[in-house]
Amino acid sequence: MKRLTLKKLIVISQSESRSLEVPFEDGLNIIWGENKTGKSSIIKSIFTTLGCECKRVETDWKKLISAYLLFFKYGERKF
């Protein structure tokens, strides 16, 4: 059985002139932090990049993000 493994997420915001790179390690990855530090934004970015429509998404969040890049492995193939 092939496994989908997330390797890295890059979120780019041209309006804020910044980007965020989130690396993922092999095994379990836990995202934690204080309120309003971007935990939900990371999850929404992953789902959006995979083609999912996130319900209850704040319109401000969608306007801030210019591009999402998700690096992952499926079986032995890298994407």
Side-chain angles (χ1 to χ4, degrees):
M1 178 189 211
K2 293 182 181 180
R3 171 176 277 180
L4 176 73
T5 306
L6 302 180
K7 292 303 198 180
K8 178 172 42 174
L9 171 70
I10 299 174
V11 181
I12 300 168
S13 173
Q14 289 181 339
S15 64
E16 294 184 326
S17 298
R18 60 184 240 180
S19 65
L20 171 69
E21 183 174 321
V22 182
F24 296 99
E25 301 294 329
D26 289 339
L28 178 66
N29 288 264
I30 299 172
I31 300 169
W32 83 89
E34 298 292 324
N35 290 341
K36 299 287 186 185
T37 58
K39 300 178 303 291
S40 296
S41 295
I42 291 170
I43 301 301
K44 291 174 196 173
S45 296
I46 292 169
F47 276 96
T48 301
T49 303
L50 293 172
C52 299
E53 181 64 36
C54 297
K55 300 208 184 240
R56 299 178 58 199
V57 173
E58 302 86 16
T59 55
D60 290 342
W61 176 80
K62 278 190 163 181
K63 289 178 187 174
L64 289 175
I65 307 302
S66 304
Y68 314 93
L69 301 168
L70 183 63
F71 297 83
F72 63 94
K73 251 176 94 174
Y74 181 64
E76 293 302 314
R77 293 184 64 192
K78 294 179 182 180
F79 298 88

Coordinates of all heavy atoms in Angstrom, one line a residue:
M1 N 0.8 -1.2 0.0 CA 0.0 0.0 0.0 C 0.9 1.3 0.0 O 1.8 1.4 0.8 CB -0.9 0.0 1.2 CG -1.7 1.2 1.3 SD -2.5 1.1 2.9 CE -3.8 1.6 3.2
K2 N 0.6 2.2 -0.9 CA 1.4 3.4 -1.0 C 1.0 4.4 0.1 O -0.2 4.4 0.5 CB 1.2 4.1 -2.4 CG 1.8 3.3 -3.5 CD 1.6 4.0 -4.8 CE 2.2 3.1 -5.9 NZ 2.0 3.8 -7.2
R3 N 1.9 5.2 0.6 CA 1.7 6.1 1.6 C 1.9 7.5 1.1 O 2.9 7.8 0.4 CB 2.6 5.8 2.8 CG 2.6 6.8 3.9 CD 3.4 6.4 5.0 NE 2.5 5.6 5.8 CZ 2.9 5.0 6.9 NH1 4.1 5.1 7.4 NH2 2.1 4.3 7.6
L4 N 1.1 8.5 1.5 CA 1.3 9.9 1.2 C 2.0 10.5 2.4 O 1.5 10.4 3.5 CB -0.1 10.6 1.0 CG 0.0 12.1 0.8 CD1 0.5 12.4 -0.6 CD2 -1.4 12.7 0.9
T5 N 3.2 11.1 2.1 CA 4.0 11.7 3.2 C 4.2 13.2 2.8 O 4.8 13.4 1.8 CB 5.3 10.9 3.3 OG1 5.1 9.6 3.5 CG2 6.1 11.5 4.5
L6 N 3.8 14.1 3.7 CA 4.1 15.5 3.5 C 5.5 15.8 3.8 O 6.0 15.3 4.8 CB 3.2 16.3 4.4 CG 1.7 16.2 4.2 CD1 0.9 17.1 5.1 CD2 1.3 16.4 2.7
K7 N 6.2 16.5 3.0 CA 7.6 16.9 3.2 C 7.8 18.3 3.6 O 8.6 18.6 4.5 CB 8.4 16.6 1.9 CG 8.5 15.1 1.7 CD 9.1 14.4 2.9 CE 9.6 13.0 2.6 NZ 10.2 12.4 3.8
K8 N 7.1 19.2 2.9 CA 7.3 20.7 3.1 C 6.1 21.4 2.5 O 5.6 21.1 1.5 CB 8.6 21.1 2.5 CG 8.9 22.6 2.7 CD 10.3 23.0 2.2 CE 10.8 22.4 0.9 NZ 12.1 23.0 0.5
L9 N 5.7 22.5 3.2 CA 4.7 23.4 2.8 C 5.3 24.8 2.7 O 6.0 25.2 3.7 CB 3.5 23.4 3.7 CG 2.4 24.5 3.4 CD1 1.7 24.2 2.1 CD2 1.5 24.6 4.6
I10 N 5.1 25.5 1.6 CA 5.5 26.9 1.5 C 4.3 27.7 1.2 O 3.6 27.4 0.2 CB 6.6 27.1 0.4 CG1 7.8 26.3 0.7 CG2 6.9 28.6 0.3 CD1 8.9 26.3 -0.4
V11 N 4.0 28.7 2.0 CA 2.9 29.6 1.8 C 3.4 31.0 1.5 O 4.3 31.5 2.2 CB 2.0 29.7 3.1 CG1 0.8 30.6 2.8 CG2 1.5 28.3 3.5
I12 N 3.0 31.6 0.4 CA 3.5 32.9 -0.1 C 2.4 33.9 -0.1 O 1.3 33.7 -0.6 CB 4.1 32.7 -1.5 CG1 5.2 31.7 -1.6 CG2 4.6 34.1 -2.0 CD1 5.6 31.3 -2.9
S13 N 2.7 35.0 0.5 CA 1.8 36.2 0.6 C 2.5 37.4 0.0 O 3.4 38.0 0.6 CB 1.4 36.5 2.0 OG 0.6 37.7 2.1
Q14 N 2.1 37.7 -1.3 CA 2.7 38.8 -1.9 C 2.2 40.1 -1.3 O 3.0 41.1 -1.2 CB 2.3 38.8 -3.4 CG 3.1 37.7 -4.2 CD 2.8 37.7 -5.7 OE1 1.8 38.2 -6.1 NE2 3.7 37.1 -6.4
S15 N 1.0 40.2 -0.8 CA 0.4 41.4 -0.2 C 1.2 41.8 1.0 O 1.3 42.9 1.4 CB -1.1 41.3 0.0 OG -1.3 40.3 1.0
E16 N 1.7 40.8 1.8 CA 2.5 41.0 3.0 C 4.0 40.9 2.7 O 4.8 41.1 3.6 CB 2.1 40.0 4.1 CG 0.7 40.2 4.6 CD 0.4 39.3 5.7 OE1 0.9 38.1 5.7 OE2 -0.4 39.7 6.6
S17 N 4.4 40.6 1.5 CA 5.8 40.5 1.1 C 6.5 39.5 2.0 O 7.6 39.8 2.5 CB 6.5 41.8 1.1 OG 5.9 42.7 0.2
R18 N 5.9 38.4 2.2 CA 6.6 37.4 3.1 C 6.1 36.0 2.7 O 5.1 35.8 2.0 CB 6.4 37.6 4.5 CG 4.9 37.6 5.0 CD 4.8 38.0 6.4 NE 4.1 36.9 7.1 CZ 3.9 36.8 8.4 NH1 4.2 37.8 9.1 NH2 3.3 35.8 8.9
S19 N 6.8 35.0 3.2 CA 6.5 33.6 3.0 C 6.7 32.8 4.2 O 7.5 33.3 5.1 CB 7.2 33.0 1.8 OG 8.6 33.0 2.1
L20 N 6.2 31.6 4.3 CA 6.4 30.7 5.4 C 6.7 29.4 4.9 O 6.0 28.9 4.0 CB 5.1 30.7 6.3 CG 5.1 29.6 7.4 CD1 6.1 30.0 8.5 CD2 3.7 29.5 8.0
E21 N 7.8 28.8 5.4 CA 8.1 27.4 5.0 C 8.0 26.5 6.2 O 8.5 26.8 7.3 CB 9.6 27.4 4.5 CG 10.0 26.0 4.1 CD 11.4 26.0 3.5 OE1 11.7 26.9 2.8 OE2 12.1 25.0 3.7
V22 N 7.2 25.5 6.1 CA 6.9 24.5 7.2 C 7.4 23.1 6.8 O 6.9 22.5 5.9 CB 5.4 24.4 7.5 CG1 5.1 23.5 8.6 CG2 4.8 25.8 7.7
P23 N 8.6 22.7 7.3 CA 9.1 21.4 7.0 C 8.4 20.3 7.9 O 8.0 20.6 9.0 CB 10.6 21.5 7.4 CG 10.6 22.5 8.5 CD 9.5 23.4 8.2
F24 N 8.2 19.1 7.3 CA 7.6 18.0 8.0 C 8.6 16.9 8.1 O 9.3 16.6 7.1 CB 6.4 17.5 7.3 CG 5.2 18.5 7.2 CD1 5.0 19.3 6.1 CD2 4.4 18.7 8.3 CE1 4.0 20.2 6.1 CE2 3.4 19.7 8.3 CZ 3.2 20.4 7.2
E25 N 8.8 16.3 9.2 CA 9.7 15.2 9.4 C 9.0 13.9 9.2 O 7.8 13.8 9.2 CB 10.3 15.2 10.9 CG 11.0 16.5 11.2 CD 12.3 16.7 10.4 OE1 12.9 15.7 10.1 OE2 12.6 17.9 10.2
D26 N 9.8 12.8 9.0 CA 9.2 11.5 9.0 C 8.5 11.2 10.3 O 9.0 11.6 11.4 CB 10.2 10.4 8.6 CG 10.7 10.5 7.2 OD1 10.0 11.1 6.4 OD2 11.8 10.0 6.9
G27 N 7.4 10.5 10.3 CA 6.7 10.1 11.5 C 5.6 11.1 11.8 O 5.1 11.9 11.0
L28 N 5.3 11.2 13.1 CA 4.2 12.1 13.6 C 4.8 13.5 13.7 O 5.8 13.8 14.2 CB 3.8 11.6 15.0 CG 2.7 12.5 15.6 CD1 1.4 12.4 14.9 CD2 2.5 12.0 17.1
N29 N 4.0 14.5 13.2 CA 4.3 15.9 13.3 C 3.1 16.6 14.0 O 2.0 16.4 13.7 CB 4.4 16.6 11.9 CG 5.7 16.1 11.2 OD1 6.7 16.8 11.3 ND2 5.7 15.0 10.6
I30 N 3.4 17.3 15.0 CA 2.4 18.0 15.9 C 2.6 19.5 15.7 O 3.7 20.0 15.8 CB 2.6 17.6 17.4 CG1 2.4 16.1 17.5 CG2 1.6 18.4 18.2 CD1 2.7 15.6 18.9
I31 N 1.5 20.2 15.4 CA 1.5 21.6 15.2 C 0.8 22.2 16.5 O -0.4 22.0 16.7 CB 0.7 22.0 13.9 CG1 1.3 21.4 12.7 CG2 0.6 23.5 13.8 CD1 0.5 21.5 11.5
W32 N 1.6 23.0 17.2 CA 1.0 23.7 18.4 C 1.5 25.1 18.5 O 2.5 25.4 17.9 CB 1.3 22.8 19.7 CG 2.6 23.1 20.3 CD1 2.9 24.0 21.2 CD2 3.8 22.4 20.0 NE1 4.3 23.9 21.5 CE2 4.9 22.9 20.8 CE3 4.2 21.4 19.1 CZ2 6.2 22.5 20.7 CZ3 5.5 20.9 19.1 CH2 6.5 21.5 19.9
G33 N 0.8 25.9 19.3 CA 1.2 27.2 19.6 C 0.1 28.0 20.2 O -1.0 27.5 20.4
E34 N 0.4 29.3 20.5 CA -0.6 30.1 21.1 C -1.7 30.4 20.1 O -1.6 30.2 18.9 CB 0.0 31.5 21.5 CG 1.1 31.3 22.5 CD 0.6 30.9 23.9 OE1 -0.6 31.3 24.2 OE2 1.2 30.1 24.6
N35 N -2.8 31.0 20.5 CA -3.9 31.5 19.6 C -3.4 32.5 18.6 O -2.5 33.3 19.0 CB -5.1 32.1 20.4 CG -5.8 31.0 21.2 OD1 -5.7 29.8 21.0 ND2 -6.5 31.4 22.3
K36 N -4.0 32.4 17.4 CA -3.6 33.4 16.4 C -2.2 33.4 15.9 O -1.6 34.4 15.6 CB -4.0 34.8 16.8 CG -5.5 35.0 17.1 CD -6.3 35.0 15.9 CE -7.7 35.3 16.1 NZ -8.6 35.2 15.0
T37 N -1.6 32.2 15.9 CA -0.2 32.1 15.5 C 0.0 31.4 14.1 O 1.1 31.2 13.7 CB 0.7 31.4 16.5 OG1 0.2 30.1 16.8 CG2 0.8 32.2 17.8
G38 N -1.2 30.9 13.5 CA -1.1 30.3 12.2 C -1.3 28.8 12.1 O -1.2 28.3 11.1
K39 N -1.7 28.2 13.2 CA -1.9 26.7 13.2 C -2.9 26.3 12.2 O -2.7 25.5 11.4 CB -2.2 26.2 14.6 CG -1.2 26.5 15.6 CD -1.6 26.0 17.0 CE -2.9 26.5 17.5 NZ -2.9 27.9 17.8
S40 N -4.1 27.0 12.3 CA -5.2 26.6 11.4 C -4.9 27.0 10.0 O -5.3 26.3 9.0 CB -6.5 27.4 11.8 OG -6.9 26.9 13.1
S41 N -4.1 28.1 9.8 CA -3.7 28.5 8.4 C -2.8 27.4 7.8 O -3.0 27.2 6.6 CB -3.0 29.8 8.5 OG -3.8 30.9 8.9
I42 N -2.0 26.8 8.5 CA -1.2 25.7 8.0 C -2.1 24.6 7.5 O -1.9 24.1 6.4 CB -0.1 25.2 9.0 CG1 0.9 26.3 9.3 CG2 0.5 23.9 8.6 CD1 1.8 26.0 10.4
I43 N -3.0 24.2 8.3 CA -3.9 23.1 8.0 C -4.8 23.4 6.8 O -4.9 22.7 5.8 CB -4.8 22.7 9.2 CG1 -3.9 22.3 10.4 CG2 -5.8 21.6 8.8 CD1 -3.0 21.1 10.1
K44 N -5.3 24.7 6.8 CA -6.1 25.1 5.6 C -5.3 25.2 4.3 O -5.8 24.8 3.3 CB -6.7 26.5 5.9 CG -7.8 26.5 7.0 CD -8.1 28.0 7.3 CE -8.9 28.1 8.6 NZ -9.1 29.5 9.0
S45 N -4.0 25.6 4.4 CA -3.2 25.6 3.3 C -2.9 24.2 2.7 O -2.9 24.0 1.5 CB -1.8 26.3 3.6 OG -2.0 27.6 4.0
I46 N -2.7 23.3 3.6 CA -2.5 21.9 3.1 C -3.8 21.4 2.4 O -3.7 20.9 1.3 CB -2.2 21.0 4.3 CG1 -0.8 21.3 4.8 CG2 -2.2 19.5 3.8 CD1 -0.4 20.6 6.1
F47 N -4.9 21.5 3.0 CA -6.2 21.1 2.4 C -6.4 21.8 1.1 O -6.8 21.2 0.1 CB -7.3 21.2 3.3 CG -7.5 20.1 4.3 CD1 -6.9 20.2 5.6 CD2 -8.1 18.9 3.9 CE1 -7.0 19.1 6.4 CE2 -8.3 17.9 4.8 CZ -7.7 18.0 6.1
T48 N -6.2 23.1 1.0 CA -6.5 23.9 -0.2 C -5.5 23.5 -1.3 O -6.0 23.3 -2.5 CB -6.3 25.4 0.1 OG1 -7.2 25.8 1.1 CG2 -6.6 26.3 -1.1
T49 N -4.3 23.2 -1.0 CA -3.3 22.8 -2.0 C -3.7 21.4 -2.6 O -3.5 21.2 -3.7 CB -1.9 22.7 -1.3 OG1 -1.6 23.9 -0.8 CG2 -0.9 22.3 -2.4
L50 N -4.3 20.6 -1.8 CA -4.7 19.2 -2.2 C -6.1 19.3 -2.9 O -6.6 18.3 -3.4 CB -4.8 18.3 -1.0 CG -3.4 17.9 -0.4 CD1 -3.6 17.1 0.8 CD2 -2.6 17.2 -1.4
G51 N -6.6 20.5 -3.1 CA -7.9 20.7 -3.9 C -9.2 20.6 -3.1 O -10.2 20.6 -3.6
C52 N -9.1 20.7 -1.8 CA -10.3 20.6 -0.9 C -10.8 22.0 -0.7 O -10.0 23.0 -0.7 CB -9.9 20.1 0.5 SG -9.3 18.4 0.4
E53 N -12.1 22.1 -0.6 CA -12.7 23.4 -0.3 C -12.9 23.5 1.2 O -13.6 22.7 1.8 CB -14.1 23.5 -1.0 CG -14.8 24.8 -0.7 CD -14.0 26.0 -1.3 OE1 -13.4 25.9 -2.4 OE2 -14.1 27.1 -0.7
C54 N -12.3 24.4 1.9 CA -12.4 24.5 3.3 C -13.6 25.4 3.7 O -13.7 26.5 3.3 CB -11.1 25.2 3.9 SG -9.6 24.2 3.6
K55 N -14.4 24.8 4.5 CA -15.6 25.5 5.0 C -15.2 26.4 6.2 O -14.2 26.1 6.8 CB -16.7 24.5 5.4 CG -17.2 23.7 4.3 CD -18.6 23.2 4.4 CE -18.9 22.3 3.3 NZ -19.9 22.7 2.5
R56 N -16.0 27.4 6.4 CA -15.7 28.3 7.5 C -14.3 29.0 7.4 O -13.7 29.3 8.3 CB -15.8 27.6 8.8 CG -17.2 27.0 9.1 CD -17.2 26.3 10.4 NE -16.9 27.2 11.5 CZ -16.5 26.8 12.7 NH1 -16.4 25.6 13.0 NH2 -16.2 27.7 13.6
V57 N -13.9 29.3 6.1 CA -12.7 30.0 5.9 C -12.9 31.5 5.9 O -13.8 31.9 5.2 CB -12.0 29.5 4.6 CG1 -10.8 30.4 4.3 CG2 -11.7 28.1 4.6
E58 N -12.2 32.2 6.7 CA -12.3 33.6 6.7 C -11.8 34.2 5.4 O -10.9 33.7 4.8 CB -11.4 34.2 7.9 CG -11.7 33.7 9.2 CD -10.9 32.4 9.5 OE1 -10.0 32.1 8.8 OE2 -11.3 31.7 10.5
T59 N -12.6 35.1 4.9 CA -12.3 35.7 3.6 C -10.9 36.4 3.6 O -10.2 36.4 2.6 CB -13.4 36.6 3.1 OG1 -13.6 37.6 4.0 CG2 -14.6 35.9 2.8
D60 N -10.6 37.0 4.7 CA -9.3 37.7 4.9 C -8.1 36.8 4.6 O -7.1 37.1 4.0 CB -9.1 38.4 6.2 CG -10.1 39.6 6.4 OD1 -10.6 40.1 5.4 OD2 -10.3 40.0 7.5
W61 N -8.2 35.5 5.2 CA -7.2 34.5 5.0 C -6.9 34.2 3.5 O -5.8 34.2 3.1 CB -7.6 33.3 5.8 CG -6.6 32.2 5.6 CD1 -5.4 32.0 6.3 CD2 -6.7 31.0 4.8 NE1 -4.8 30.9 5.9 CE2 -5.6 30.2 5.0 CE3 -7.7 30.6 3.9 CZ2 -5.4 29.1 4.3 CZ3 -7.5 29.4 3.2 CH2 -6.4 28.7 3.4
K62 N -8.0 34.0 2.8 CA -7.9 33.6 1.4 C -7.3 34.8 0.6 O -6.5 34.6 -0.4 CB -9.2 33.3 0.8 CG -9.6 31.8 1.1 CD -10.8 31.5 0.2 CE -11.0 30.0 0.2 NZ -12.1 29.6 -0.6
K63 N -7.6 36.0 1.0 CA -7.0 37.2 0.2 C -5.6 37.4 0.5 O -4.9 37.9 -0.4 CB -7.8 38.5 0.6 CG -9.2 38.5 0.1 CD -9.9 39.8 0.6 CE -11.4 39.7 0.3 NZ -12.1 40.9 0.9
L64 N -5.1 37.0 1.6 CA -3.7 37.2 2.0 C -2.7 36.3 1.3 O -1.6 36.6 1.0 CB -3.4 37.0 3.5 CG -4.0 38.1 4.4 CD1 -3.8 37.7 5.8 CD2 -3.3 39.5 4.1
I65 N -3.2 35.1 0.9 CA -2.3 34.0 0.4 C -2.3 34.1 -1.1 O -3.3 34.1 -1.8 CB -2.8 32.6 0.8 CG1 -2.9 32.5 2.3 CG2 -1.8 31.6 0.3 CD1 -1.7 32.8 3.1
S66 N -1.1 34.2 -1.7 CA -0.9 34.3 -3.2 C -0.6 32.9 -3.8 O -1.1 32.7 -4.9 CB 0.3 35.2 -3.5 OG 0.1 36.5 -2.9
A67 N 0.1 32.1 -3.1 CA 0.4 30.8 -3.6 C 0.8 29.8 -2.5 O 1.2 30.2 -1.4 CB 1.6 30.9 -4.5
Y68 N 0.5 28.5 -2.8 CA 0.8 27.4 -1.9 C 1.7 26.4 -2.6 O 1.4 26.1 -3.8 CB -0.4 26.6 -1.4 CG -1.6 27.5 -1.0 CD1 -2.6 27.8 -1.9 CD2 -1.8 27.8 0.3 CE1 -3.7 28.6 -1.5 CE2 -2.9 28.6 0.7 CZ -3.8 28.9 -0.2 OH -4.9 29.6 0.2
L69 N 2.7 26.0 -2.0 CA 3.5 24.9 -2.6 C 3.6 23.8 -1.6 O 4.1 24.0 -0.5 CB 4.9 25.4 -3.0 CG 5.0 26.6 -3.9 CD1 6.4 27.2 -3.9 CD2 4.7 26.2 -5.3
L70 N 3.2 22.6 -2.0 CA 3.2 21.4 -1.1 C 4.1 20.4 -1.7 O 3.9 20.0 -2.9 CB 1.8 20.9 -0.9 CG 1.7 19.7 0.1 CD1 2.2 20.2 1.5 CD2 0.3 19.2 0.1
F71 N 5.2 20.0 -1.0 CA 6.1 19.0 -1.5 C 5.7 17.7 -0.7 O 5.6 17.7 0.5 CB 7.5 19.3 -1.2 CG 8.0 20.6 -1.9 CD1 7.7 21.8 -1.4 CD2 8.7 20.5 -3.1 CE1 8.1 23.0 -2.1 CE2 9.1 21.6 -3.8 CZ 8.8 22.8 -3.3
F72 N 5.5 16.6 -1.4 CA 5.1 15.4 -0.8 C 5.6 14.2 -1.5 O 6.0 14.3 -2.7 CB 3.6 15.3 -0.6 CG 2.8 15.3 -1.9 CD1 2.4 14.1 -2.5 CD2 2.4 16.5 -2.5 CE1 1.7 14.1 -3.6 CE2 1.7 16.5 -3.6 CZ 1.3 15.3 -4.2
K73 N 5.5 13.0 -0.9 CA 5.9 11.8 -1.5 C 4.7 10.9 -1.5 O 3.9 10.8 -0.6 CB 7.0 11.1 -0.7 CG 8.3 11.0 -1.3 CD 9.3 10.4 -0.4 CE 9.5 8.9 -0.6 NZ 10.5 8.3 0.1
Y74 N 4.5 10.2 -2.6 CA 3.4 9.2 -2.7 C 4.1 7.9 -3.1 O 4.5 7.8 -4.3 CB 2.3 9.6 -3.7 CG 1.2 8.6 -3.7 CD1 0.4 8.3 -2.6 CD2 0.9 7.8 -4.9 CE1 -0.6 7.4 -2.7 CE2 -0.1 6.9 -4.9 CZ -0.9 6.7 -3.8 OH -1.9 5.8 -3.9
G75 N 4.2 6.9 -2.2 CA 5.0 5.8 -2.5 C 6.4 6.2 -2.6 O 7.0 6.9 -1.7
E76 N 7.1 5.9 -3.7 CA 8.5 6.3 -3.9 C 8.5 7.6 -4.8 O 9.6 8.1 -5.0 CB 9.3 5.2 -4.5 CG 9.4 4.0 -3.6 CD 10.1 4.4 -2.3 OE1 11.1 5.1 -2.3 OE2 9.6 4.0 -1.2
R77 N 7.4 8.1 -5.3 CA 7.4 9.2 -6.2 C 7.3 10.5 -5.4 O 6.6 10.7 -4.5 CB 6.2 9.2 -7.2 CG 6.4 8.0 -8.1 CD 5.3 8.0 -9.1 NE 5.3 9.2 -10.0 CZ 4.4 9.6 -10.8 NH1 3.3 8.9 -10.9 NH2 4.5 10.7 -11.5
K78 N 8.2 11.5 -5.8 CA 8.2 12.8 -5.2 C 7.4 13.8 -6.0 O 7.6 13.9 -7.2 CB 9.6 13.3 -4.9 CG 10.4 12.4 -4.0 CD 11.8 12.9 -3.8 CE 12.5 12.0 -2.9 NZ 13.9 12.5 -2.7
F79 N 6.6 14.7 -5.4 CA 5.9 15.7 -6.1 C 6.1 17.0 -5.4 O 6.4 17.1 -4.3 CB 4.4 15.4 -6.0 CG 4.0 14.1 -6.7 CD1 4.0 12.9 -6.0 CD2 3.6 14.1 -8.0 CE1 3.6 11.7 -6.6 CE2 3.3 12.9 -8.7 CZ 3.3 11.7 -8.0

